[in-house]
Amino acid sequence: MKYYIIAGEASGDLHGSNLMKALKQKDAQAEFRFWGGDLMEKQGGVLVKHYKDLAFMGFLEVAMNLRTILNNIKFCKEDIKNNKPDYLILVDYPGFNLRIAKFAKELGIKVIYYISPQLWAWKEGRVEIIKKYVDEMLVILPFEEDFYKKHGVHSHFVGHPLLDAISELALTDKEDFKKKNGLNEKEIIALLPGSRKQEVEKMLQIMLSVRPYFEQYQFVIAGAPSLPRSFYEKYVDENVHFVSNKTYDLLRCSKAALVTSGTATLETALLDIPEVVCYRGSKISYAIAKRLVKNINYISLVNLIMDREVVKELIQDDLHTSHLVEELKKVLEGEKRNEILNDYRLLKQKLGGKGASDKAAEIILKV
């Protein structure tokens, strides 16, 4: 079978690569053409475009790069038409992927959506597009199945692929990891500032503002694979270190973490590291988002899945140094830390266990 896969960001690259691995095990004739990143490329096939050329954050940035986005959509349609895949597999990234779903369906290509867009938070009307143009909806959050059922869309809850990704990693010995990366004996506070340049610059500035209050710790920045090491050099000194493409190893060695909202909040939880979730966008983008986002009380996946506050979220004007210091102290020691770790165990149970990629591959091959 010929598979055309579109993943537009780092998390999609991870989940897309694991799905490709599962498909190869079940389909010896599998051929891949994809939009994604380095992890998907390691599984073989043709990388059409890297996600680092697709990631535009916020309403203003999207508007400023609209011509590029429209050109990418046009190119993608032409590429699909020329290569005639058996399956189009879409991984999240809804603004782009829902346009491609309609185009592919009209060509008679089977359309699979793996990892639902967050329609339960905003743009709920897009469910009608999925109903018309998607053959199979594969969801990874337990409440999403009920959401789609309410809208008359059949979906499959396959479990969360991060459980597989984390369990299958060959993680480095903690002491070896510290030694290889020039880390000292102080306990570590990990900084996960995101993956986009604009986002990282904004978040690192506020995250590092807490340093004077935690001199007994060393801070380590988790570098995004889409950004060069040179980008981070201005933040590094004798007590602020940097590692790249080793986020899971870093988290395992850490006492706590400051994490920009997104998939990283769930990754941190699954590795049992207490965290404070941070988010700050431009004032205009945030004001627009507040008007559009409905029916949710949280921004982190941890809290959304548990449907209550497990980890503290500091958003927009609440994200400043004094609040960050206060919340970080709570997760480093004491009762709050123990509560978070207990809740993480319940979180893993709700996510349905391992095997998401295998389940997804089985369903795809039955379409």
Side-chain angles (χ1 to χ4, degrees):
M1 292 287 188
K2 294 170 66 177
Y3 302 90
Y4 198 105
I5 307 175
I6 304 175
E9 51 199 0
S11 60
D13 180 38
L14 172 64
H15 302 324
S17 68
N18 286 327
L19 179 61
M20 290 167 70
K21 181 180 178 181
L23 284 168
K24 287 194 298 183
Q25 292 172 349
K26 300 175 187 302
D27 178 5
Q29 305 302 316
E31 296 179 22
F32 298 106
R33 191 173 180 87
F34 54 90
W35 297 43
D38 300 342
L39 296 176
M40 292 174 73
E41 192 170 24
K42 287 178 182 178
Q43 292 299 324
V46 178
L47 175 61
V48 180
K49 276 190 181 288
H50 200 287
Y51 69 78
K52 67 184 179 183
D53 299 322
L54 308 173
F56 302 108
M57 176 191 172
F59 298 99
L60 287 179
E61 191 180 0
V62 168
M64 291 170 60
N65 291 278
L66 188 57
R67 179 176 292 181
T68 299
I69 294 168
L70 293 175
N71 285 338
N72 282 337
I73 290 171
K74 181 181 178 182
F75 173 78
C76 185
K77 289 179 177 180
E78 291 174 353
D79 197 50
I80 289 172
K81 189 174 181 179
N82 291 336
N83 286 278
K84 300 180 177 62
D86 298 298
Y87 292 99
L88 172 67
I89 302 174
L90 308 170
V91 185
D92 200 355
Y93 198 48
F96 189 96
N97 276 339
L98 287 174
R99 291 171 182 251
I100 303 302
K102 180 178 184 295
F103 175 80
K105 185 67 176 176
E106 290 171 350
L107 290 179
I109 297 168
K110 293 292 184 182
V111 179
I112 314 294
Y113 217 121
Y114 178 51
I115 304 181
S116 171
Q118 295 178 352
L119 305 186
W120 32 266
W122 70 314
K123 294 193 176 182
E124 194 168 330
R126 284 177 164 177
V127 172
E128 296 303 315
I129 301 174
I130 287 172
K131 192 181 293 188
K132 284 183 181 180
Y133 304 116
V134 174
D135 293 288
E136 290 291 340
M137 195 74 203
L138 311 180
V139 300
I140 64 172
L141 299 176
F143 59 81
E144 290 178 325
E145 203 167 27
D146 289 335
F147 169 80
Y148 280 107
K149 185 177 180 180
K150 179 183 75 173
H151 287 281
V153 176
H154 179 66
S155 64
H156 303 268
F157 173 56
V158 297
H160 206 293
L162 276 180
L163 291 167
D164 298 329
I166 288 173
S167 68
E168 293 173 5
L169 280 177
L171 296 170
T172 308
D173 177 80
K174 291 182 181 181
E175 292 306 315
D176 285 347
F177 175 77
K178 288 182 178 180
K179 186 176 180 180
K180 287 177 182 177
N181 289 280
L183 306 180
N184 58 45
E185 293 306 310
K186 290 182 178 180
E187 290 189 298
I188 295 170
I189 296 174
L191 306 181
L192 280 63
S195 60
R196 302 175 179 96
K197 182 178 178 181
Q198 172 194 9
E199 176 182 56
V200 172
E201 288 178 330
K202 186 174 295 184
M203 299 312 301
L204 273 180
Q205 184 177 359
I206 183 65
M207 287 177 174
L208 287 170
S209 71
V210 306
R211 286 176 58 200
Y213 303 89
F214 299 95
E215 292 182 348
Q216 69 273 39
Y217 294 91
Q218 58 183 322
F219 292 80
V220 185
I221 301 167
S226 56
L227 296 174
R229 186 183 185 91
S230 59
F231 170 79
Y232 295 93
E233 287 178 355
K234 60 186 174 184
Y235 301 105
V236 176
D237 59 28
E238 69 278 0
N239 203 37
V240 178
H241 305 274
F242 169 84
V243 299
S244 184
N245 290 323
K246 291 289 182 182
T247 300
Y248 290 171
D249 282 306
L250 169 61
L251 285 170
R252 285 177 66 248
C253 296
S254 300
K255 184 74 180 287
L258 304 181
V259 187
T260 298
S261 63
T263 304
T265 62
L266 183 56
E267 293 172 311
T268 303
L270 294 180
L271 286 163
D272 291 321
I273 306 303
E275 65 186 298
V276 181
V277 176
C278 309
Y279 176 78
R280 181 185 288 170
S282 73
K283 289 185 177 180
I284 294 175
S285 292
Y286 183 69
I288 294 171
K290 280 196 71 175
R291 289 179 175 272
L292 294 176
V293 174
K294 300 176 182 178
N295 305 320
I296 65 167
N297 299 315
Y298 308 105
I299 64 168
S300 70
L301 284 171
V302 177
N303 292 344
L304 284 166
I305 293 165
M306 296 294 286
D307 197 25
R308 59 185 171 87
E309 184 182 272
V310 172
V311 294
K312 186 66 178 179
E313 300 177 354
L314 296 178
I315 305 170
Q316 209 65 8
D317 292 338
D318 286 336
L319 180 60
H320 54 74
T321 304
S322 61
H323 279 173
L324 205 49
V325 169
E326 179 184 354
E327 297 302 330
L328 185 53
K329 285 179 178 178
K330 290 178 184 177
V331 303
L332 285 167
E333 303 289 347
E335 184 180 341
K336 178 63 176 177
R337 179 181 179 85
N338 293 330
E339 287 176 1
I340 291 174
L341 292 173
N342 285 331
D343 282 333
Y344 282 173
R345 285 190 278 273
L346 298 175
L347 172 73
K348 292 172 187 176
Q349 293 174 15
K350 291 193 76 168
L351 286 175
K354 296 185 289 186
S357 300
D358 281 340
K359 292 173 190 173
E362 287 176 6
I363 293 168
I364 289 169
L365 289 171
K366 289 178 182 177
V367 174

